[in-house]
Amino acid sequence: MATSEDIQTLILTTLDTQGAIENTDSLKTADGNAIPYLAVVGVLNSLASKEMITYTTIERDQFNLTQEGNEIADSGSHEAKVFNAVDPVNGIAIAELAKLLGASAKIGQGKAFKNKWIKKDGDKLVREVESIVDQTQLDALEIRNTGTHSKPATLKDLQARKHVEKVKLISYKVAKGPKFALKIEKQATDLTAEMLADGSWKTQTFKKYNFAGNPPEGGHLHPLMKVREEFRKIFFELGFEEMPTNKYVESSFWNFDALFQPQQHPARDAHDTFFLLDPATSSNFPDKEYVQRVKEVHSHGGYGSIGYGYDWKIEEAEKLLLRTHTTSVSSNMLYRLAQETKARGSFKPAKFFSIDRVYRNETVDATHLAEFHQVEGVIADKNLTLGDLIGFMEIFFEKMGVPNIKFKPAFNPYTEPSMEIFSWHPGLEKWVELGNSGMFRPEMLEAMGLDPDVRVIAWGLGLERPTMIKYGLDNIRELLGHKVDLDMIQSNPACRLDKKMGKELVGKDAVDA
Ligand code: PHE
C-alpha cells in the first residue's frame, strides 16, 4: 500500500512535470493501483494548508453493475440464455428448460417471447429467429467499461431492473500553490530567541495557527463606547490630546467658580446639581493666590471686567458635587497650561478633548437621563478669533459627517461670545441644536494666569444623541440602565461616523437633545 508520503511525492512530482492534475483519479501508484480516496484527501489538505497546492473538488455520478448485472455482462442475459437453450431443430420441452436454467428460465422466457426470439409449439419452445444480438449483455458491458451508458433511458431501465446502481464519486483537480516545491519544508511552530538572534526567522516558514472553536462571547463594546471611539479618532486625527477625565466628583470651584459662573447661578441649585453629603466639601485647592484671584474677579472684577459685584464665599466653592459638565476638566487643564507656561517662560498652543460622563439632577424622560456623556474640545492659542471657532466647527462637524451647520448667539457664564450649533433636520423641517460653543472669558483665563492674548475656543456636544440615531434607538432607556438588551450590545456593528452618519444625524429620526 502507498504511504501518505508516497502519495505526497506522487502528487508533487506529477504537478512538477505536468503543471496541474486534471483529476486525481488518474493518479496511480508505482505498481499501477488506484489511490484510496481518503488518502488523497488527507494529503491534499495538508499540502493546501502549507499553500503548496490549491485544489477544487470534482463531483460526478458513476454507474456500477450490481451482482446480477455482472452475471449478465459475463454470461449473457436471462433471455439470451433461454434462446441458446432452445435447440435450433428440435426446440426444448418447457419442463426441461426450467430444469436446465433454474430462475433464469422464468425471467428469460417472457423477454424472449416479447423479443419474438422464441414461440410456443405444444409443450415445447421453438426458435423463431436464427440468431440474436444480446443487447442487454452489450449494455451491461458498456456500463462496466465506461461507468455510464450512452442512452439515459437504458440506464434508467437497468437501474429499475436492479442491474445497475448509481454512486457519487469525488475526485480533485489540483494546481500548484504559491509556495509550491518538490520537498516539504519543516514548518516551525514557535518563533524562538535563536531565530531572532541568527536572523533565520526571515526565511523560516511557520505552521499556521488553527483557530478552530467558538468565538468568545465576552468583551462587547457598548454602542456609546463605539461612537466614543469614532469621536476619539476624529480628535486624534486633528492633533488633539485627551484630557484625564477620571474625576466624577469635583469641587464646585472647578465645576463653576473657576469658570466665572456666579455662586447664585441657578445651575448651582440642588435642583440642578447633585451635591455630595459625605464628604460634602473639599478645600484641596491648587494655590491660594489663584483662589484669591477668582474671589476678586467674581466680587469686584478685573481684566477689563466689572465682575458680578457679590461677596464670593470659599465655602460655596468647597462644596463637592458630581460634575455637571466636562468643562470642569477643561478648566483644570487650562489652569495647568497657565502653570506650565509660567514655568517654561513661554506659551505653547494646546488642543485638548474629553469624552466622559456628567450628571444633572434632571427629570428623566425618553431622551434625558440624570447622567450622560459629553464630547468636549478646547483649543488654546494666541489671538484666536470667533472666525477661528466658526471655521473649526465647520471642519469638526464636517468630519462627523454633518455639513452646513449654522450658529446662533447664546449665553454661557464662561464664554463670550457663545454660539449654539445647529444643523438642518429635513424630517422635522427645522434646525436642531447639535452643540454649544464659545470663547472662554478673560475673567476665567487671566485669573488662571494666562496672558491676555491667549484665547481659548471650546465646544461641547452630547454623545447619546448621535449614538441613538446611529443605532436606531428612540428611548434613552434602551441605551442605558436595566432595560438594555444585551443582544443589542453584542450584535451591533462597529460605528463609523461617515458621510452617511451625517445624513442620519440630520435625518428624520433625529431627536432633540
Ligand atoms: N459645558 C457646556 C455644556 O455643558 C458645553 C460647552 C463647552 C460650551 C465648552 C462652551 C464651551 O453644555
Side-chain angles (χ1 to χ4, degrees), residues 115-327:
N115 290 351
K116 296 207 161 46
W117 291 350
I118 56 168
K119 65 177 181 201
K120 251 189 180 158
D121 183 8
D123 58 356
K124 275 181 17 181
L125 296 173
V126 292
R127 289 191 177 183
E128 257 201 300
V129 291
E130 257 170 52
S131 65
I132 57 158
V133 174
D134 187 359
Q135 190 55 47
T136 308
Q137 185 184 29
L138 294 178
D139 290 339
L141 284 169
E142 181 179 343
I143 289 164
R144 182 192 276 174
N145 294 334
T146 64
T148 185
H149 195 281
S150 48
K151 292 193 187 122
T154 308
L155 263 184
K156 252 204 182 138
D157 179 43
L158 292 179
Q159 262 182 283
R161 287 162 68 184
K162 304 256 183 311
H163 295 167
V164 164
E165 63 193 0
K166 188 163 94 173
V167 287
K168 274 221 177 319
L169 283 192
I170 292 175
S171 58
Y172 301 93
K173 181 177 166 144
V174 190
K176 288 180 185 175
K179 297 199 179 141
F180 178 80
L182 275 175
K183 273 223 314 275
I184 293 175
E185 233 182 294
K186 191 148 171 28
Q187 292 180 311
T189 46
D190 289 306
L191 176 66
T192 63
E194 288 75 40
M195 290 177 195
L196 291 174
D198 65 16
S200 61
W201 62 271
K202 288 182 200 159
T203 48
Q204 176 67 51
T205 58
F206 291 91
K207 203 176 164 77
K208 272 202 178 141
Y209 279 111
N210 180 0
F211 287 115
N214 290 330
E217 271 303 306
H220 293 273
L221 277 187
H222 187 277
L224 278 172
M225 295 301 105
K226 292 181 187 170
V227 177
R228 178 173 80 158
E229 231 9 71
E230 276 295 299
F231 275 111
R232 290 181 86 223
K233 274 190 212 143
I234 293 177
F235 279 113
F236 286 134
E237 263 173 47
L238 294 169
F240 280 70
E241 192 185 319
E242 192 161 22
M243 296 187 262
T245 50
N246 51 349
K247 215 173 170 194
Y248 300 94
V249 172
E250 191 52 275
S251 64
S252 294
F253 181 80
W254 287 116
N255 196 83
F256 294 127
D257 297 283
L259 289 162
F260 196 54
Q261 187 146 336
Q263 294 188 327
Q264 312 77 25
H265 193 280
R268 299 179 70 147
D269 195 287
H271 291 294
D272 293 311
T273 299
F274 291 113
F275 287 96
L276 262 68
L277 283 178
D278 187 16
T281 60
S282 163
S283 48
N284 183 19
F285 296 136
D287 70 88
K288 286 215 172 65
E289 289 97 82
Y290 173 43
V291 175
Q292 192 52 44
R293 287 197 299 274
V294 171
K295 177 185 167 85
E296 187 60 25
V297 76
H298 278 248
S299 315
H300 310 294
Y303 322 109
S305 165
I306 57 163
Y308 293 116
Y310 72 98
D311 187 13
W312 186 88
K313 290 203 172 66
I314 185 84
E315 293 77 20
E316 201 58 43
E318 284 174 347
K319 284 186 184 166
L320 286 174
L321 45 74
L322 292 177
R323 69 174 173 224
T324 64
H325 53 186
T326 45
T327 318

Side-chain angles (χ1 to χ4, degrees), residues 324-327 354-356 358 360 372-376 461-462:
T324 64
H325 53 186
T326 45
T327 318
S354 67
I355 308 171
D356 210 341
V358 301
R360 304 252 173 107
F372 58 98
H373 292 76
Q374 282 188 332
V375 179
E376 182 152 324
L461 62 145

Side-chain angles (χ1 to χ4, degrees), residues 335-351:
Y335 170 71
R336 266 194 241 176
L337 183 69
Q339 297 292 101
E340 280 167 23
T341 306
K342 221 183 280 167
R344 200 187 303 113
S346 66
F347 171 78
K348 223 175 95 196
K351 292 191 272 187

